[in-house]
Amino acid sequence: MANKNNPTSNNKRLPFLENKRLQIAIISLFTLFLYSGIVSYQFIGLDEPTLIIDNYSFLKDPSNIPQAFKQHVFYAKHHTDNPRDYYRPILTLSFLLDAQFSSKPSPKFFHFTNIIYHILSCVLLFILFHQLRIDPLATFLFSLVFAAHPLLTQAVAWIPGRNDSLITVFCLLSFINLVKYAETGSVKNVILHLLLFFVALLTKESAMALTAISFLFLLIISREKLLSLKSIYLLSGYLVVIAAWYFMRYRAFEGMPNEATLKSPFNELLINSPLLLQYIQKMVLPFNLSVMSTVGDTNYILAGIALLLLAVGIYFTKQKRWNYILFGFIWFLAFISPSLLTGYFGGLEHRTYLSMVGIFIVVSEFDIFKREAIRKYKYIIPAILLLFTGITIYRLPIFNNAISYWESAVKTSDHSSLACLDLGKTYESIGQYQKAIDAYREGLNRNPKERLLHNNIGAAYIYLGNYEQAELEIKKEIELFPDNYMGYFNLGLVKKRIGKNEEAAAYWKKSLEFNKNLVNAYQQLAQYYKSINDTVNFKKCVEEVNRTSRL
């Protein structure tokens, strides 16, 4: 979009900067080379079992494409009651596409696709910056920095992290068409903008922020009047798109509210507000990184330095476009704010993917990143790019497998008890029960009231044959959480191992009071009734096993 106040418009162009195709090719090849190694990585066990592995028979069948729009993204066999009922059919479709290349879950196809989505995001950022009349040399270099930024590693190397690169692809495509619409008033561009906005909404709910971003662009960048025809047409289109999305989501959930809506958004924002500082710090100074960060891991000293650097950059910029700086900060806040409403793994770094574009818009206005300054201080951006690339290369092996991922999560977050819980589960899955117990104990040191930790310690002790210690731990779990059906189920296993079968059956029945679909409890009860020749109850339990197995 043309801007008469653009301080770089009179700069002489370099031949290389005229060849956008060559620049795009370099950005794409650089990104592909940087992340090519992740193709050999394994699943790490965070959401992939539900989204991909348990759901693979569904994903393998292309005829299920319409069904993807009729259910929440975590809907899978044995997970139909998952409370995280996000409506994200485009993510499911992306997995369905990858599943066509292998008869069994193979992470390499999914990882390769993640790289492609990251390349598309970097290229679209390059195109958008050109539209915003940001210095061409800075545009090229910033696109490379975005490709290599260590904070985005999780969105690329963790398979479900693609949801953030996917929404970035569709939001940037949509916004690029909005900029063209602001310039030309073309009906074609506004229709494309709205259609792509609709696809972005079907990718992730936070795309709703694009509506505010678009109106602000028209007001403070394009200088449109608030009640101009362009704004009125845009508002009408948004109402239609949002109504269609809401209707589809409502039908998929049958009116069931999302987990996030059950809590006070103001309370969540207040609790998670330090994450804003943490995210800004990691965007500007990508240190203190963690795959499982929490509010308590915020480094306020580094955050203060990052804010100071931004303030200094703005202050010493002589030819600054205040409207662009304001717009960049609003972009950041608009797209990062929805992530503050969730208490589930609140500080996951992949959620910064789209919001980082706003910080890049702000920083691109700094004089030091204009072409003349880049020529004078020609080593600054290459040094930043080299540093970011090195950090990313260093971090990538973390995502190689479940053990390396969860060990890193525990090591880099001093406050996450959930990371300890998942590390313990991972150790259990490979038979390292003592290591699992140690991980669970560390989780209790961090949060003595974390759900499942005592229960899982007890379950590990069952495998080790220490039934007395197992019973002690599981009873601690039930004391904290009387509704924990797995606690009662595991107590039943303890009683069975020491020969108290009647007490075991009583605990399994208790577990079914809290979860009537617990197939393992019916299986154990069936064995119990068979052992005492209770044919009637045996048949009832077998029927329940068959029923729950079909869910």
Side-chain angles (χ1 to χ4, degrees):
M1 178 180 166
N3 191 309
K4 295 179 181 179
N5 296 322
N6 182 6
T8 67
S9 59
N10 294 322
N11 286 345
K12 294 181 180 180
R13 293 186 176 275
L14 300 174
F16 171 74
L17 297 179
E18 297 290 342
N19 194 336
K20 293 181 181 179
R21 290 184 178 180
L22 177 59
Q23 294 174 67
I24 289 174
I26 292 173
I27 293 167
S28 302
L29 289 173
F30 170 74
T31 309
L32 180 63
F33 174 77
L34 178 60
Y35 279 100
S36 59
I38 71 171
V39 174
S40 63
Y41 288 4
Q42 303 173 24
F43 293 118
I44 63 172
L46 178 59
D47 289 344
E48 295 144 330
T50 308
L51 293 172
I52 300 172
I53 300 171
D54 294 348
N55 210 24
Y56 208 69
S57 59
F58 175 89
L59 298 174
K60 276 295 298 175
D61 187 353
S63 67
N64 285 323
I65 290 177
Q67 186 61 32
F69 293 88
K70 300 177 182 178
Q71 62 192 37
H72 64 77
V73 71
F74 281 99
Y75 187 99
K77 188 176 181 180
H78 305 313
H79 296 277
T80 56
D81 60 345
N82 195 302
R84 289 175 286 135
D85 51 344
Y86 300 119
Y87 185 58
R88 297 172 180 177
I90 299 301
L91 178 62
T92 302
L93 291 184
S94 76
F95 292 143
L96 192 147
L97 177 63
D98 290 339
Q100 305 313 305
F101 295 96
S102 178
S103 59
K104 60 181 181 180
S106 175
K108 63 181 178 180
F109 298 105
F110 295 90
H111 280 305
F112 179 75
T113 306
N114 272 32
I115 300 173
I116 298 301
Y117 294 142
H118 188 46
I119 290 173
L120 287 174
S121 296
C122 297
V123 170
L124 288 170
L125 178 70
F126 174 84
I127 294 170
L128 174 61
F129 273 30
H130 272 290
Q131 281 192 316
L132 297 178
R133 299 298 186 264
I134 292 170
D135 185 285
L137 182 56
T139 291
F140 171 68
L141 294 173
F142 273 126
S143 299
L144 289 174
V145 171
F146 186 84
H149 203 295
L151 190 57
L152 305 183
T153 305
Q154 189 159 351
V156 188
W158 173 48
I159 292 171
R162 71 170 57 177
N163 209 41
D164 287 277
S165 52
L166 273 171
I167 188 180
T168 300
V169 167
F170 294 120
C171 280
L172 289 181
L173 278 171
S174 180
F175 191 73
I176 286 168
N177 277 281
L178 176 83
V179 175
K180 291 180 180 178
Y181 173 61
E183 287 181 329
T184 65
S186 168
V187 175
K188 172 186 174 182
N189 289 127
V190 74
I191 291 175
L192 284 173
H193 167 68
L194 293 169
L195 286 175
L196 289 162
F197 167 59
F198 181 55
V199 178
L201 271 180
L202 295 175
T203 305
K204 195 173 182 180
E205 303 82 356
S206 56
M208 194 72 71
L210 188 62
T211 58
I213 289 293
S214 298
F215 277 117
L216 283 168
F217 177 83
L218 292 178
L219 288 173
I220 68 177
I221 304 294
S222 190
R223 307 294 188 183
E224 291 284 341
K225 293 181 179 179
L226 182 61
L227 297 178
S228 67
L229 283 176
K230 287 181 181 177
S231 298
I232 293 172
Y233 291 153
L234 199 60
L235 177 60
S236 302
Y238 285 150
L239 292 175
V240 172
V241 168
I242 293 171
W245 168 80
Y246 182 80
F247 175 76
M248 292 172 65
R249 182 185 182 280
Y250 184 87
R251 289 289 300 271
F253 296 157
E254 297 179 352
M256 180 175 59
N258 186 280
E259 180 190 52
T261 64
L262 300 177
K263 302 176 182 178
S264 168
F266 298 105
N267 185 51
E268 291 295 318
L269 279 172
L270 183 63
I271 293 172
N272 292 323
S273 57
L275 289 175
L276 280 177
L277 295 175
Q278 186 178 137
Y279 289 146
I280 291 177
Q281 174 253 298
K282 292 178 180 180
M283 289 179 187
V284 179
L285 300 171
F287 310 115
N288 192 38
L289 301 175
S290 172
V291 296
M292 200 61 62
S293 187
T294 68
V295 170
D297 297 315
T298 304
N299 188 316
Y300 292 97
I301 294 176
L302 285 178
I305 294 173
L307 290 172
L308 180 62
L309 288 174
L310 289 175
V312 168
I314 294 172
Y315 180 80
F316 284 102
T317 295
K318 296 178 181 178
Q319 295 179 309
K320 41 182 164 278
R321 296 181 291 181
W322 280 108
N323 54 341
Y324 277 70
I325 292 173
L326 175 62
F327 179 72
F329 278 122
I330 292 173
W331 180 297
F332 164 73
L333 289 171
F335 283 114
I336 202 64
S337 294
S339 70
L340 306 180
L341 297 175
T342 176
Y344 184 78
F345 290 145
L348 288 176
E349 293 171 352
H350 65 89
R351 294 169 178 164
T352 63
Y353 198 105
L354 179 54
S355 64
M356 188 186 290
V357 173
I359 298 299
F360 270 55
I361 292 173
V362 172
V363 174
S364 69
E365 288 297 304
F366 295 176
D367 280 348
I368 197 171
F369 297 126
K370 302 293 171 58
R371 195 182 319 173
E372 293 306 317
I374 292 174
R375 286 173 173 172
K376 185 177 180 180
Y377 307 105
K378 56 185 177 182
Y379 298 113
I380 292 181
I381 295 186
I384 293 172
L385 179 60
L386 184 62
L387 175 64
F388 284 14
T389 301
I391 297 173
T392 294
I393 292 173
Y394 175 78
R395 292 195 78 219
L396 279 176
I398 291 170
F399 300 88
N400 185 39
N401 56 63
I403 292 292
S404 61
Y405 181 86
W406 291 111
E407 285 182 342
S408 174
V410 171
K411 181 180 179 180
T412 57
S413 173
D414 295 331
H415 299 82
S416 177
S417 54
L418 287 173
C420 299
L421 176 64
D422 281 285
L423 176 60
K425 289 178 181 177
T426 304
Y427 282 139
E428 278 197 71
S429 69
I430 58 175
Q432 296 187 14
Y433 299 111
Q434 189 55 55
K435 281 191 173 183
I437 291 170
D438 293 340
Y440 295 139
R441 295 277 186 211
E442 174 59 26
L444 287 172
N445 289 336
R446 299 179 180 193
N447 182 3
K449 295 184 178 180
E450 181 64 59
R451 193 178 184 93
L452 288 179
L453 286 174
H454 282 296
N455 174 76
N456 287 17
I457 292 174
Y461 276 127
I462 292 175
Y463 283 107
L464 292 175
N466 189 340
Y467 302 124
E468 182 180 352
Q469 192 65 36
E471 183 174 358
L472 179 64
E473 291 292 339
I474 296 169
K475 284 184 176 179
K476 288 180 182 179
E477 176 76 22
I478 292 175
E479 184 179 347
L480 286 170
F481 307 102
D483 63 339
N484 190 327
Y485 58 87
M486 284 307 301
Y488 296 108
F489 175 78
N490 285 329
L491 271 181
L493 291 182
V494 171
K495 296 300 182 181
K496 178 181 179 181
R497 297 291 176 87
I498 61 177
K500 296 182 178 181
N501 293 328
E502 289 186 11
E503 290 185 44
Y507 279 122
W508 292 327
K509 291 176 185 178
K510 185 71 174 178
S511 71
L512 291 171
E513 292 179 15
F514 297 101
N515 184 356
K516 64 180 180 180
N517 295 323
L518 186 59
V519 62
N520 293 341
Y522 288 117
Q523 290 171 337
Q524 292 293 337
L525 283 170
Q527 293 177 20
Y528 167 72
Y529 287 126
K530 184 177 181 180
S531 68
I532 63 173
N533 297 317
D534 188 338
T535 306
V536 175
N537 282 314
F538 171 74
K539 289 182 178 179
K540 288 181 179 179
C541 286
V542 170
E543 290 175 359
E544 289 298 326
V545 168
N546 293 331
R547 178 186 67 81
T548 53
S549 297
R550 290 193 297 268
L551 291 177

